[in-house]
Amino acid sequence: MSKVLVIGAGGVSSVAVHKMAQLLAAKTGPFSEIMLASRTIAKCDAIAKSVKERTAVEIQTAQIDADDVAATMKLIDEAKPDLVVNLALPYQDLPIMDACLATKTDYLDTANYEPRDEAKFEYKWQWDYHDRFREAGIMALLGSGFDPGVTSVFTTWLKKHHFDRIDTLDILDCNGGDHGQHFATNFNPEINIREVTAPARHWENGAWVETPALSHKQTFDFAEVGERNMYLMYHEEIESLSKHIPEINRIRFWMTFGDAYLTHLKVLENVGMTSIEPVEYEGQQIVPLQFLKAVLPEPSSLGETTKGKTNIGVIATGEKNGSQKTLYIKNICSHEAAYEETGNQGVSYTTGVPAMIGSALMLSGKWSGKGVFNMEEFDPDPFMEMLNEHGLPWTLEEMDAPLAF
């Protein structure tokens, strides 16, 4: 049995801790103790209260500034966790990895590192830790969310069981939920808007193809959601999948957005509110996007009002025994069901559950290694089994033809 230290107290963290506590209560998983730490301890205490009411499990809480490596090292030394689960902001990935390296503690996160002063996220910074983690005899698992995370596992499972070779891969992320707000994001507004407004990139013929943000649109009929407009975007699993499964000739990522969301976003962009360049206001330097984040609804507060479903999956075309085929594997998640179970909306649920599963596989030794790893480097079967068991069941279907676009 193992102790886990979870850093971060947003919606994803709440889901992950609730799911860990469920396994602890049922004595069916590797978790024996759970500590939750964040800059704002009141948020940790609120999650702990919900966990106690729903599962009767008591979790420990602590205050921590995850940007402070020495303070994080001290907390790890005192708590002595077997695994640190980083569910804080992507800006904090490297400081937390530094603390884990210094204390020789295994590490897991759900999103790759992004510097505060540049809207660019890639795995290079974290991959550079591989040799140091290997020499320290510890493991880091990167991107154990849904996308990245489950989408990478879906791909390796398809390759293992259904394809001799995958030629094209499309990742489709649809949030069909409605939270009733004029404009709000379903996860951290600052990270969400930086991601959406960045240039789109996809992988094709061994090279990156860059296009302007939101310039490529297609319509797709998502099961249990309906037809939605989806836009070509860059997402980090394209980088890791193109590295670890180099046979794939083309990898694209698509995300749906409603017209009202895009209209609000364009207006905010036009007036400079999505900028990450500091401006001076009444003698102080402020970042417009960070100010915008402060006035937008907190994503973790949207659970009670969000209705509808998410539909996220991958469509792969390739060859098996000399014949070409196209397979579509996906999960559909109900916002209402997620809220009833954990008090959080579906976007948090679809990321928090895989964070718990990745943690469980590391702590049980089913996924192990020394160094820094991405999800697609491990056997997908135990992860796929746990998705079905813990709230994110998936379905597989064969399509009549590859995508026409």
Side-chain angles (χ1 to χ4, degrees):
M1 303 298 282
S2 304
K3 180 174 183 177
V4 62
L5 168 62
V6 179
I7 298 178
V12 171
S13 177
S14 175
V15 172
V17 170
H18 277 86
K19 300 299 282 192
M20 291 173 183
Q22 288 175 10
L23 268 66
L24 197 163
K27 299 181 180 178
T28 56
F31 305 105
S32 57
E33 293 182 71
I34 304 166
M35 173 178 276
L36 178 60
S38 174
R39 189 188 305 268
T40 307
I41 196 168
K43 292 183 177 180
C44 299
D45 292 339
I47 293 172
K49 181 174 182 290
S50 175
V51 168
K52 178 69 180 298
E53 291 171 349
R54 294 172 186 269
T55 68
V57 170
E58 292 193 17
I59 67 172
Q60 304 169 60
T61 61
Q63 191 279 331
I64 188 65
D65 177 359
D67 290 318
D68 187 335
V69 176
T72 306
M73 288 169 54
K74 184 173 183 291
L75 178 62
I76 294 172
D77 282 334
E78 292 173 351
K80 295 180 171 50
D82 298 284
L83 172 68
V84 171
V85 177
N86 170 18
L87 302 180
L89 294 174
Y91 313 137
Q92 298 167 315
D93 287 359
L94 301 190
I96 297 174
M97 289 181 76
D98 286 334
C100 287
L101 190 58
T103 57
K104 295 187 177 181
T105 309
D106 287 344
Y107 168 93
L108 176 147
D109 67 29
T110 62
N112 67 359
Y113 174 69
E114 181 174 346
R116 290 182 188 272
D117 57 356
E118 184 181 8
K120 183 181 175 100
F121 51 104
E122 61 181 344
Y123 278 119
K124 175 188 180 299
W125 291 286
Q126 291 178 278
W127 284 344
D128 284 346
Y129 279 71
H130 178 74
D131 289 345
R132 283 173 284 169
F133 266 66
R134 183 186 60 203
E135 291 164 6
I138 57 176
M139 173 179 168
L141 180 62
L142 308 182
S144 190
F146 206 107
D147 44 346
V150 174
T151 52
S152 300
V153 176
F154 279 173
T155 303
T156 51
W157 184 85
L158 288 173
K159 175 68 190 297
K160 178 178 179 179
H161 295 286
H162 294 279
F163 287 104
D164 297 322
R165 185 191 71 246
I166 296 176
D167 297 320
T168 66
L169 186 76
D170 284 274
I171 302 164
L172 280 60
D173 183 325
C174 171
N175 177 17
D178 182 359
H179 46 54
Q181 301 284 336
H182 291 296
F183 183 80
T185 61
N186 291 289
F187 59 95
N188 183 281
E190 187 177 355
I191 302 302
N192 176 267
I193 292 173
R194 283 167 65 124
E195 183 178 291
V196 173
T197 57
R201 285 192 298 158
H202 73 275
W203 183 257
E204 190 164 4
N205 296 323
W208 290 107
V209 179
E210 185 169 305
T211 51
L214 305 173
S215 61
H216 285 266
K217 177 177 75 172
Q218 295 290 340
T219 301
F220 190 83
D221 189 3
F222 290 89
E224 299 186 39
V225 175
E227 282 197 353
R228 292 290 189 274
N229 290 330
M230 62 182 190
Y231 296 80
L232 190 66
M233 292 179 55
Y234 173 71
H235 227 240
E236 59 252 53
E237 64 262 51
I238 303 177
E239 182 185 15
S240 65
L241 286 167
S242 64
K243 175 182 179 180
H244 296 124
I245 313 179
E247 71 191 48
I248 306 179
N249 184 57
R250 188 189 71 204
I251 309 174
R252 302 181 297 187
F253 181 94
W254 305 86
M255 183 174 282
T256 63
F257 299 101
D259 291 342
Y261 175 93
L262 294 179
T263 298
H264 280 82
L265 184 63
K266 178 52 92 176
V267 171
L268 291 168
E269 191 172 12
N270 286 344
V271 299
M273 287 304 300
T274 63
S275 172
I276 62 172
E277 295 298 323
V279 298
E280 185 170 323
Y281 176 72
E282 295 187 349
Q284 295 186 1
Q285 293 286 312
I286 66 167
V287 175
L289 181 55
Q290 292 179 356
F291 176 81
L292 177 61
K293 172 189 172 183
V295 300
L296 288 176
E298 167 63 39
S300 61
S301 71
L302 300 174
E304 188 172 6
T305 60
T306 304
K307 312 300 179 185
K309 296 179 179 179
T310 65
N311 180 324
I312 313 173
V314 304
I315 297 176
T317 295
E319 188 175 283
K320 180 69 173 179
N321 297 328
S323 298
Q324 189 182 70
K325 63 178 178 178
T326 299
L327 296 179
Y328 182 18
I329 184 169
K330 64 182 178 297
N331 163 261
I332 297 172
C333 178
S334 162
H335 284 288
E336 292 98 322
Y339 181 75
E340 182 178 358
E341 182 185 350
T342 68
N344 298 276
Q345 40 94 351
V347 174
S348 296
Y349 192 89
T350 55
T351 304
V353 173
M356 178 280 287
I357 294 174
S359 301
L361 293 178
M362 285 182 68
L363 292 171
S364 67
K366 292 180 180 179
W367 282 7
S368 63
K370 293 179 175 57
V372 175
F373 302 93
N374 291 92
M375 304 288 284
E376 61 269 16
E377 295 183 78
F378 296 98
D379 178 11
D381 290 352
F383 197 102
M384 295 290 281
E385 292 170 8
M386 289 189 72
L387 286 172
N388 281 331
E389 294 167 356
H390 297 288
L392 293 178
W394 46 269
T395 59
L396 175 69
E397 63 184 272
E398 184 164 2
M399 299 179 67
D400 293 335
L403 291 174
F405 49 84

